[in-house]
Amino acid sequence: MVPSCSNFSRQKEIVDLILLNQKRDYSRFDLSLAAEAFAPSNIALIKYWGKRDEVLNLPLTNSLSISLPGKGAWTQVSLREKEDQILLNGEVVDPKMAFARRMQDFLDLFRFNTDLAYRIETKINIPVAAGLASSACGFAALVLALDRFYGWTLSNRALSILARLGSGSACRSIESGWMEWHSGGREDGMDSFAQPLNIDWSEFRMGLILVSEEKKSISSRAAMKQTVMSSPRYSKWPKRVDLDLKTLKQALSAKDFQSLGEVVERNADEMHALMREAVPSIDFSLPQTRVYQERIRQLRKAGLSIYYTQDAGPNLKVLYLARDEKTLLDCIPKLEPIFHEHKDHVLKST
Ligand code: DP6
């Protein structure tokens, strides 16, 4: 196993490379300063499931997501004396908790004034364990807040690379809207970042079926690794993703909702099939997950345009068009709209 200090230095090299031209006197950043930023949560429609580099979170394939307007993380960064303090939704997080440890490991990459520690206050307006990518928006908001705090004004590409070091899918939360994460091919990952796609589909909607808010028994990071290492058909996944991405992009440019829904659902189903075939087998679905999947298939048979996607958890994200929302809310009372039309979701790329 690679010792963790060498993992740290590989990540630190990337941070140093990105901040190379930033000449700052870090001793003048004191306890009186604070900066805040928001990053939206993103839901993958074509999934990231497998890494070519586990330290730099470099993926084996591209992936494509949509961000949830107004839903995500607000993070405030300031400095304090003594040890770091991390607050989540108003409560101090126990520094021994996995969440705090991951944050602190990430903050170790940005300790410019060794006399001071960080105070990180994050507010997330989505259920934290509902599979709505709370860690993705959390790391992205932290990177955006650090950028503001130190006044780096880095490009979105550089910010996306930094966020990826915290959690792969966080690189798709630096900007809003439809985002494609390029796997890249370089060993240092400087070509692996997410970029917005110029798509404006005002009819597109997404809803959540919250089956359970229980904490997952296995993290997405561990499940991904176990799938890559032991799932017998994993070698076919990158080709599948390439084809699915092509189909999805065609569907997006033709605004062909049926084709979009079919490919998104198939991609998620295939990711979960690979996990079930892993050794030991991983199954994120609960009986209620399967009940709702069947309900969605039945509604389709009855003529409604409705599809689902599922991440590393039991909850379902449901895709539909605005015109069907009322009917669907009647058919599935548990469905909670989480994506409404928003005018500003195609943001300027830098
Ligand atoms: C199922 O980004 O959480 O949501 O890079 O190890 O932090 P790490 O993994 P993470 O994995 C997300 C997996 C997924 C699919 C996706 O978002 O593309």
Side-chain angles (χ1 to χ4, degrees):
M1 215 173 89
V2 191
S4 63
C5 82
S6 93
N7 290 353
F8 171 78
S9 49
R10 285 193 62 218
Q11 291 199 338
K12 184 71 180 141
E13 263 173 38
I14 305 302
V15 173
D16 290 347
L17 193 61
I18 287 174
L19 300 181
L20 191 64
N21 297 320
Q22 302 284 340
K23 302 287 175 244
R24 290 283 178 286
D25 172 10
Y26 287 105
S27 63
R28 78 184 171 78
F29 292 90
D30 60 26
L31 306 183
S32 65
L33 302 170
E36 194 176 60
F38 171 78
S41 177
N42 78 76
I43 304 297
L45 301 182
I46 300 297
K47 309 295 185 190
Y48 147 55
W49 201 248
K51 304 183 193 192
R52 63 184 170 88
D53 185 317
E54 282 170 18
V55 176
L56 302 181
N57 292 330
L58 296 175
L60 280 157
T61 68
N62 286 21
S63 54
L64 200 153
S65 64
I66 176 86
S67 63
L68 303 179
K71 297 239 186 321
W74 280 263
T75 293
Q76 190 189 66
V77 168
S78 55
L79 295 170
R80 72 192 295 261
E81 279 160 350
K82 299 189 192 136
E83 74 281 2
D84 293 339
Q85 187 180 53
I86 294 170
L87 288 100
L88 180 61
N89 291 339
E91 306 228 335
V92 177
V93 183
D94 179 348
K96 287 188 225 81
M97 297 262 298
F99 173 81
R101 285 210 310 270
R102 249 180 105 179
M103 274 289 183
Q104 281 175 338
D105 287 350
F106 187 68
L107 287 169
D108 285 348
L109 299 166
F110 304 94
R111 295 201 195 273
F112 309 109
N113 184 339
T114 44
D115 293 337
L116 295 173
Y118 279 109
R119 180 181 186 277
I120 306 295
E121 181 166 7
T122 297
K123 289 185 182 135
I124 299 189
N125 66 350
I126 45 173
V128 171
L132 288 174
S134 48
S135 73
C137 58
F139 278 108
L142 177 56
V143 164
L144 287 163
L146 284 167
D147 182 63
R148 279 197 191 153
F149 184 81
Y150 289 115
W152 294 322
T153 60
L154 295 170
S155 67
N156 285 341
R157 176 183 298 207
L159 293 167
S160 179
I161 292 173
L162 290 181
R164 168 172 52 73
L165 299 178
S167 177
S169 53
C171 77
R172 297 186 311 235
S173 277
I174 290 296
E175 293 177 78
S176 305
W178 304 83
M179 298 290 291
E180 181 170 10
W181 174 9
H182 305 281
S183 63
R186 284 174 57 148
E187 250 178 59
D188 64 3
M190 293 303 284
D191 55 355
S192 181
F193 54 89
Q195 272 185 318
L197 298 169
N198 198 7
I199 291 152
D200 192 6
W201 196 346
S202 59
E203 277 274 287
F204 182 87
R205 293 288 185 276
M206 197 184 283
L208 170 70
I209 299 179
L210 191 63
V211 167
S212 166
E213 277 195 77
E214 291 268 299
K215 219 182 138 351
K216 315 173 218 180
S217 53
I218 177 168
S219 69
S220 54
R221 184 164 289 189
M224 194 185 294
K225 189 172 176 179
Q226 196 164 306
T227 312
V228 176
M229 279 179 4
S230 67
S231 189
R233 289 188 304 117
Y234 184 79
S235 59
K236 300 213 162 51
W237 171 252
K239 187 93 191 292
R240 172 81 271 144
V241 170
D242 274 358
L243 291 172
D244 287 353
L245 264 170
K246 257 189 214 121
T247 310
L248 178 59
K249 284 186 185 171
Q250 276 163 7
L252 285 171
S253 59
K255 302 244 163 46
D256 179 344
F257 186 71
Q258 185 182 335
S259 165
L260 174 144
E262 281 171 4
V263 73
V264 168
E265 198 171 293
R266 188 176 64 217
N267 187 265
D269 282 347
E270 178 62 8
M271 178 179 80
H272 286 276
L274 292 176
M275 280 191 247
R276 280 192 297 274
E277 290 164 17
V279 187
S281 172
I282 306 157
D283 194 349
F284 281 108
S285 298
L286 292 173
Q288 280 294 299
T289 312
R290 285 182 270 274
V291 167
Y292 280 109
Q293 285 171 333
E294 189 47 36
R295 177 90 181 109
I296 288 166
R297 285 191 280 267
Q298 291 299 331
L299 288 171
R300 261 203 318 264
K301 273 195 195 135
L304 278 168
S305 273
I306 173 171
Y307 299 87
Y308 65 79
T309 184
Q310 183 187 358
D311 291 295
N315 302 316
L316 297 177
K317 271 74 79 169
V318 176
L319 317 179
Y320 55 93
L321 291 173
R323 58 159 204 245
D324 295 324
E325 184 161 280
K326 209 184 154 314
T327 318
L328 289 173
L329 289 173
D330 288 343
C331 297
I332 312 179
K334 225 176 148 51
L335 179 66
E336 185 199 332
I338 50 169
F339 183 106
H340 307 274
E341 183 183 12
H342 58 133
K343 293 281 176 227
D344 61 349
H345 74 260
V346 182
L347 295 183
K348 187 171 79 55
S349 159
T350 52

